[in-house]
Amino acid sequence: MTLKIYTSLLLLFLVNSVWTRTVRQVYDELDPDHWSHYTFECPQECFCPPSFPNALYCDNKGLKEIPAIPARIWYLYLQNNLIETISEKPFVNATHLRWINLNKNKITNSGIASGVLSKLKKLLYLFLEDNELEEVPAPLPVGLEQLRLARNKISRIPEGVFSNLENLTMLDLHQNSLLDSALQSDTFQGLNNLMQLNIAKNSLKKMPLSIPANTLQLFLDNNSIEVIPENYFSAIPKVTFLRLNYNKLSDDGIPPNGFNVSSILDLQLSHNQLTKVPPINAHLEHLHLDHNKIKSVNGTQICPVSISVAEDYGVYGNTPRLRYLRLDGNEIQPPIPLDIMICFRLLQAVVI
């Protein structure tokens, strides 16, 4: 009898110890300043996960207005609703917001209260994709790091809208209604730390002016671009990924060394009107030329170094770095010319 009582007490002690330790861990992991707000201030229409007290999930609720946002919230999810306006009232206490997702709503420029976004001083990420915007909203929070405006109706970029956004690293404007006239020489002025610029699926006929110098990724697919200006990439010396698929580039529209740029590692020129492989740099690693009008490839002509030099390098030497070459959808007949394999010793895949 005594043994049973002892065993039961021991089991109870162990269970209580584990429970106490687990509860204490939860308290310890949460910021004490936020714990007092943990059990209340959750809008009725939304979900406040106990394990993530800084987040507010109001997505897919059929909302027409933004509810009052509690002061503790950093991450706000409002995507897939019927919201038309962004007014000041819901954000009166939301001074710590870092992230707002308003994708797939019905927001228009006239529905955004004047200055409401710029007052969100700590906001880093703003998602407004799949809305009804006709121009880039302004003014914007100066600390913003990512701005996603894809799949709107944007045809205008207000003057100076990006001038104070020195921290912005990603700007996504793809699938809008931008014409060449919307991109002036000072449009992107101030974006000193921009790394990715996406202007794919617009109505551009020319390469955009004055791309920020630190841009690493430039996406211009699905436009109507015909010409690459001479020395265009000297102004963006760090560009690494360049996508120009589904444009109207021909051999005449590319300068002799237009793509012979040492910084470019991934070059995509699929679905254009090229009849030959343009000169490339020895540093290039991925080249997409599928669905053009190329009839043949000559390794001697396209090799960034002379074939004789390439033969002397060996696998681990200073050989051209091309690893992936896509040529399908052209008029090229196999087999792959031997001189291509001699030049590009690091090739791992050739699609023909």
Side-chain angles (χ1 to χ4, degrees):
M1 182 67 175
T2 304
L3 181 59
K4 289 183 179 180
I5 294 173
Y6 176 78
T7 303
S8 298
L9 288 173
L10 179 60
L11 181 60
L12 182 61
F13 172 76
L14 291 173
V15 170
N16 284 338
S17 297
V18 172
W19 181 85
T20 303
R21 185 163 58 253
T22 302
V23 171
R24 185 177 293 115
Q25 286 173 347
V26 171
Y27 274 87
D28 290 343
E29 288 173 2
L30 293 173
D31 188 336
D33 293 335
H34 293 126
W35 181 251
S36 60
H37 302 289
Y38 177 62
T39 57
F40 63 94
E41 286 191 316
C42 185
Q44 184 178 357
E45 311 94 324
C46 307
F47 172 59
C48 301
S51 60
F52 196 12
N54 295 122
L56 182 60
Y57 290 87
C58 308
D59 52 309
N60 297 285
K61 301 294 184 182
L63 300 180
K64 294 185 177 181
E65 296 180 350
I66 299 174
I69 310 304
R72 71 173 187 275
I73 298 304
W74 288 20
Y75 308 98
L76 177 59
Y77 298 88
L78 287 161
Q79 66 270 26
N80 292 300
N81 281 294
L82 303 170
I83 297 168
E84 297 181 359
T85 61
I86 304 177
S87 60
E88 292 188 14
K89 187 176 179 181
F91 299 102
V92 170
N93 296 317
T95 56
H96 297 286
L97 277 173
R98 264 71 165 176
W99 172 302
I100 298 179
N101 189 335
L102 276 161
N103 291 346
K104 295 187 178 180
N105 278 282
K106 297 181 179 298
I107 298 167
T108 62
N109 288 95
S110 61
I112 302 176
S114 178
V116 64
L117 296 174
S118 62
K119 291 178 181 178
L120 302 173
K121 302 296 185 182
K122 296 186 178 181
L123 195 66
L124 302 177
Y125 300 87
L126 178 58
F127 299 171
L128 281 166
E129 298 178 345
D130 296 282
N131 278 279
E132 304 292 331
L133 299 173
E134 295 183 351
E135 63 180 53
V136 175
L140 292 163
V142 295
L144 212 58
E145 294 182 3
Q146 286 193 17
L147 178 60
R148 300 179 184 241
L149 299 169
R151 295 178 298 276
N152 277 274
K153 301 176 182 178
I154 296 173
S155 62
R156 181 174 177 271
I157 301 178
E159 184 178 356
V161 66
F162 302 127
S163 60
N164 294 320
L165 303 187
E166 293 187 2
N167 294 328
L168 198 72
T169 59
M170 177 185 178
L171 175 59
D172 191 345
L173 288 163
H174 90 268
Q175 200 166 334
N176 277 284
S177 303
L178 292 169
L179 299 171
D180 296 319
S181 57
L183 304 180
Q184 300 299 315
S185 59
D186 59 351
T187 295
F188 302 111
Q189 185 175 345
L191 299 179
N192 299 328
N193 290 296
L194 194 72
M195 291 189 288
Q196 183 184 114
L197 178 60
N198 191 342
I199 326 178
K201 293 188 177 182
N202 278 277
S203 300
L204 304 180
K205 294 183 179 180
K206 300 178 181 179
M207 295 291 285
L209 301 172
S210 301
I211 300 296
N214 285 319
T215 302
L216 299 175
Q217 301 177 335
L218 179 58
F219 303 148
L220 292 163
D221 315 75
N222 292 90
N223 280 284
S224 299
I225 297 170
E226 299 179 356
V227 176
I228 307 294
E230 189 83 34
N231 299 319
Y232 181 84
F233 299 104
S234 62
I236 41 175
K238 297 181 181 180
V239 64
T240 304
F241 299 90
L242 177 61
R243 292 198 332 218
L244 279 159
N245 303 319
Y246 291 95
N247 276 282
K248 297 183 178 180
L249 288 170
S250 64
D251 302 328
D252 293 337
I254 300 175
N257 284 295
F259 295 121
N260 187 0
V261 181
S262 61
S263 65
I264 299 178
L265 303 182
D266 191 303
L267 176 60
Q268 300 190 20
L269 297 168
S270 305
H271 294 270
N272 277 279
Q273 300 171 10
L274 302 175
T275 64
K276 59 184 180 182
V277 178
I280 59 174
N281 192 272
H283 290 90
L284 188 68
E285 296 183 2
H286 295 82
L287 178 59
H288 297 246
L289 286 166
D290 56 288
H291 298 91
N292 276 274
K293 299 179 180 180
I294 302 170
K295 294 183 179 181
S296 64
V297 285
N298 185 317
T300 303
Q301 292 178 353
I302 70 172
C303 191
V305 299
S306 70
I307 289 291
S308 59
V309 172
E311 285 183 294
D312 294 337
Y313 275 149
V315 175
Y316 299 105
N318 247 348
T319 187
R321 300 178 188 176
L322 194 68
R323 300 173 185 273
Y324 179 88
L325 175 60
R326 184 171 177 182
L327 291 164
D328 56 303
N330 284 283
E331 300 175 30
I332 303 169
Q333 298 297 322
I336 300 166
L338 179 61
D339 51 7
I340 287 182
M341 306 309 296
I342 292 174
C343 174
F344 301 109
R345 299 293 186 88
L346 300 180
L347 263 178
Q348 297 175 352
V350 180
V351 184
I352 195 169

